Amino acid sequence: MILNKLFSPFSIGTLTMDNRIVMPPMATHYASPEGFVTGRQIAYYVERAKGGVGYITTEHTGILQQGKASPNMLMINTEEHALKIAKLIEAIHKVGAKMVVQINHAGRQTSSAVTGSPIVGPSPIPSPGNEIPHQLSIEEMKKISEAFSLAARRVKEAGADGVELHMAHGYLLCSFLSPFSNRRSDTYGRISGGGPGLRWRY
């Protein structure tokens, strides 16, 4: 099969890539224990760019210590973290690729041993074999929303070509979308109806 378009330029809005090869986010666990970009991590991504990937998405990058998914998760919860990520983005741009930073909050799919604080979720329903999360109050949700906004600003200021919200795999944003993890009775996730016609209401 001849893939004529695979190596041709492609645009998404104002962003133009040299080709249509995209690297999805994959956790490397190469960040430092504090969540800073490391030389090993930069080298890992640069090799992918040199190999011909036109559009690279970083591994999921934490917006808050409270939502850290693993001990060596990449973080962008402070300006210092953002400055380190800027070096990664600069290195990718030097070899001609584009980089989009994926931001995330692990929600109930982490542990207090990793975050250093109680884990959180839309409801006090644990993921299988995990701790029972603290049910977020509306005020706490507002603070997390603000943290996402702040992280997105840091991504932009670091020179990235875009920002991506992680809304899958049962992490915090995803957990608000499922009745298996969200049994709230307020406007942030109320179940109405019943039987086969069960409807998820927001």
Side-chain angles (χ1 to χ4, degrees):
M1 179 185 293
I2 299 176
L3 303 175
N4 293 323
K5 291 188 176 181
L6 183 60
F7 300 101
S8 64
F10 183 73
S11 296
I12 303 174
T14 59
L15 178 64
T16 300
M17 287 76 71
D18 291 339
N19 59 54
R20 302 168 188 234
I21 301 173
V22 175
M23 177 181 170
M26 293 179 280
T28 63
H29 303 287
Y30 288 169
S32 73
E34 298 78 26
F36 292 111
V37 169
T38 61
R40 182 185 185 190
Q41 204 163 31
I42 292 174
Y44 168 85
Y45 282 109
V46 166
E47 282 302 306
R48 273 68 196 167
K50 286 181 177 178
V53 176
Y55 175 120
I56 296 174
T57 313
T58 67
E59 57 207 270
H60 65 165
T61 303
I63 63 159
L64 287 171
Q65 178 67 28
Q66 174 202 65
K68 190 173 183 179
S70 60
N72 292 85
M73 182 184 191
L74 184 62
M75 302 292 290
I76 194 164
N77 57 317
T78 71
E79 299 299 329
E80 188 178 1
H81 285 86
L83 288 173
K84 300 288 186 181
I85 287 178
K87 294 184 181 297
L88 167 62
I89 295 166
E90 181 183 8
I92 293 302
H93 285 167
K94 281 183 178 179
V95 291
K98 307 297 184 182
M99 175 159 270
V100 170
V101 177
Q102 185 190 74
I103 56 177
N104 189 29
H105 186 300
R108 67 179 192 154
Q109 296 209 148
T110 182
S111 70
S112 55
V114 171
T115 65
S117 62
I119 62 173
V120 301
S123 300
I125 302 171
S127 56
N130 207 353
E131 304 165 45
I132 297 176
H134 159 70
Q135 178 171 306
L136 288 164
S137 68
I138 291 177
E139 189 59 36
E140 288 170 326
M141 284 189 284
K142 288 179 180 178
K143 290 180 179 179
I144 291 174
S145 177
E146 290 169 1
F148 268 107
S149 296
L150 183 56
R153 179 183 65 75
R154 287 177 179 143
V155 168
K156 181 178 180 179
E157 291 176 352
D161 299 289
V163 62
E164 179 178 292
L165 291 178
H166 196 327
M167 295 186 69
H169 307 157
Y171 291 125
L172 186 64
L173 297 183
C174 178
S175 69
F176 269 91
L177 301 178
S178 172
F180 292 106
S181 47
N182 186 351
R183 297 295 177 89
R184 301 179 71 94
S185 59
D186 59 16
T187 55
Y188 288 88
R190 184 167 60 190
I191 296 175
S192 61
L198 185 69
R199 301 185 66 182
W200 192 239
R201 179 180 172 186
Y202 294 98

